[in-house]
Amino acid sequence: MKAAKSKLASGRLFSLRTERNLALIFGLLGMLLVGTISAHWLLVLEPALQDESASRAAAMAQAHAQSIERVLGSGLPPDRLKRELRTTMGSLLLLKDPASQNPFVRRLSISLDYDVVEAPPGSLDLSMGPTHREGCFISRVPLYDPQTRLLIGVATFHANAFFMNRLLGDLRTKLWWIVGIIVGLTALAWFESSRLLKRLGESEANLREVFKAAPFPMVLGEQGIPALRQANEAARDYLGLEEDASGATRTDAGAKLEFSLFCAEASHHHV
């Protein structure tokens, strides 16, 4: 019984070691997947989305700059031209997203070259919108005279980054869901594997107990090895088997039994 208990303990130790190895493998697999997704997000997806949003903001600024160019090329006197510029710039700042009511442009300013524009220096340099400009895409668009196509100034647009931040927030939420699902599936796979190993270990332990406690002689052999691997108490008493220091049986009855097993194995392979 002491030998049986030690073997059971060693089998349980093997099961625990296997469970720890499985936990390590599944944990490393989950970390690898999460790290790959996070690195792809940080190094590829998020920079690409930011570049795309900045490109869209620049295209929108160029489209809005055309309305300012038309006013500057209208030939109005400076006082009236200034009022028209304010009206046009105000209308651009009022453009909002229908769903969120967030403005597309938060701040707009123009600076003109008075060597080309016939107006008192600085009289038509205008800035409208809040001065707080954090979280904006800044686009500087050159302004040209519609008739002469000469460069007459620069318009600076501060496009709202709310839409990009909302998109990034939605994608981050989906990314966290994906990471959570991966971690959950990894944990579930480890749990099921551990449970299966535990059941296999219990089944093997029960089978060993039944084998040892059987009232009739029973021996175990391995294919290709002409020797006994294990014998129960009834077989030891009946055949007079005893284990030496190496765990092998060395009695006459045991030798005859090993020889018969070897011959049966050899004849089986010969057929």
Side-chain angles (χ1 to χ4, degrees):
M1 287 301 294
K2 290 183 179 179
K5 288 181 180 179
S6 63
K7 289 182 178 179
L8 287 177
S10 63
R12 182 55 184 162
L13 181 62
F14 172 77
S15 178
L16 290 175
R17 187 182 300 113
T18 305
E19 290 179 12
R20 287 196 296 268
N21 292 336
L22 277 176
L24 179 61
I25 292 172
F26 284 121
L28 291 176
L29 179 61
M31 291 176 60
L32 178 63
L33 290 174
V34 171
T36 302
I37 294 175
S38 301
H40 184 68
W41 167 260
L42 293 175
L43 300 177
V44 179
L45 289 181
E46 188 167 345
L49 288 173
Q50 291 178 349
D51 292 341
E52 178 66 18
S53 298
S55 177
R56 289 178 179 271
M60 181 186 65
Q62 290 178 354
H64 291 334
Q66 294 178 2
S67 59
I68 299 176
E69 289 175 344
R70 286 195 294 269
V71 175
L72 291 172
S74 61
L76 297 174
D79 292 341
R80 187 176 175 184
L81 182 59
K82 187 173 184 177
R83 289 195 298 269
E84 289 295 328
L85 284 175
R86 286 187 176 276
T87 302
T88 302
M89 293 170 63
S91 64
L92 295 178
L93 293 174
L94 290 176
L95 294 175
K96 296 181 179 181
D97 175 50
S100 62
Q101 292 300 310
N102 276 279
F104 293 106
V105 180
R106 297 182 58 185
R107 183 173 176 82
L108 174 58
S109 59
I110 60 175
S111 178
L112 301 180
D113 183 1
Y114 292 96
D115 292 334
V116 182
V117 178
E118 295 181 359
S123 61
L124 299 179
D125 292 344
L126 301 174
S127 294
M128 298 182 66
T131 57
H132 182 70
R133 299 176 297 178
E134 292 183 3
C136 292
F137 294 106
I138 301 177
S139 302
R140 293 179 173 85
V141 182
L143 300 174
Y144 296 93
D145 186 277
Q147 285 77 32
T148 63
R149 303 309 301 169
L150 294 175
L151 180 64
I152 58 177
V154 175
T156 304
F157 291 82
H158 300 272
N160 198 346
F162 166 80
F163 309 100
M164 185 203 69
N165 293 332
R166 183 177 61 182
L167 176 61
L168 291 178
D170 294 340
L171 291 177
R172 286 193 189 100
T173 301
K174 293 179 181 179
L175 178 63
W176 279 113
W177 273 105
I178 293 173
V179 169
I181 291 174
I182 291 175
V183 172
L185 291 177
T186 304
L188 179 63
W190 171 78
F191 174 77
E192 291 296 329
S193 300
S194 300
R195 189 166 65 90
L196 179 60
L197 283 175
K198 183 178 180 181
R199 293 179 61 182
L200 288 175
E202 292 175 352
S203 177
E204 290 177 359
N206 293 334
L207 183 60
R208 278 197 299 270
E209 290 298 321
V210 172
F211 174 81
K212 291 180 179 297
F216 47 86
M218 296 179 65
V219 294
L220 291 178
E222 186 173 347
Q223 186 176 2
I225 300 178
L228 298 179
R229 288 189 55 194
Q230 203 169 2
N232 65 351
E233 294 296 332
R236 292 174 187 275
D237 295 338
Y238 181 75
L239 298 174
L241 301 177
E242 294 181 358
E243 292 184 357
D244 58 13
S246 63
T249 57
R250 297 303 178 194
T251 64
D252 293 338
K256 292 179 180 179
L257 184 59
E258 291 177 7
F259 180 75
S260 63
L261 289 174
F262 174 74
C263 292
E265 182 68 23
S267 62
H268 174 73
H269 284 292
H270 179 72
V271 174

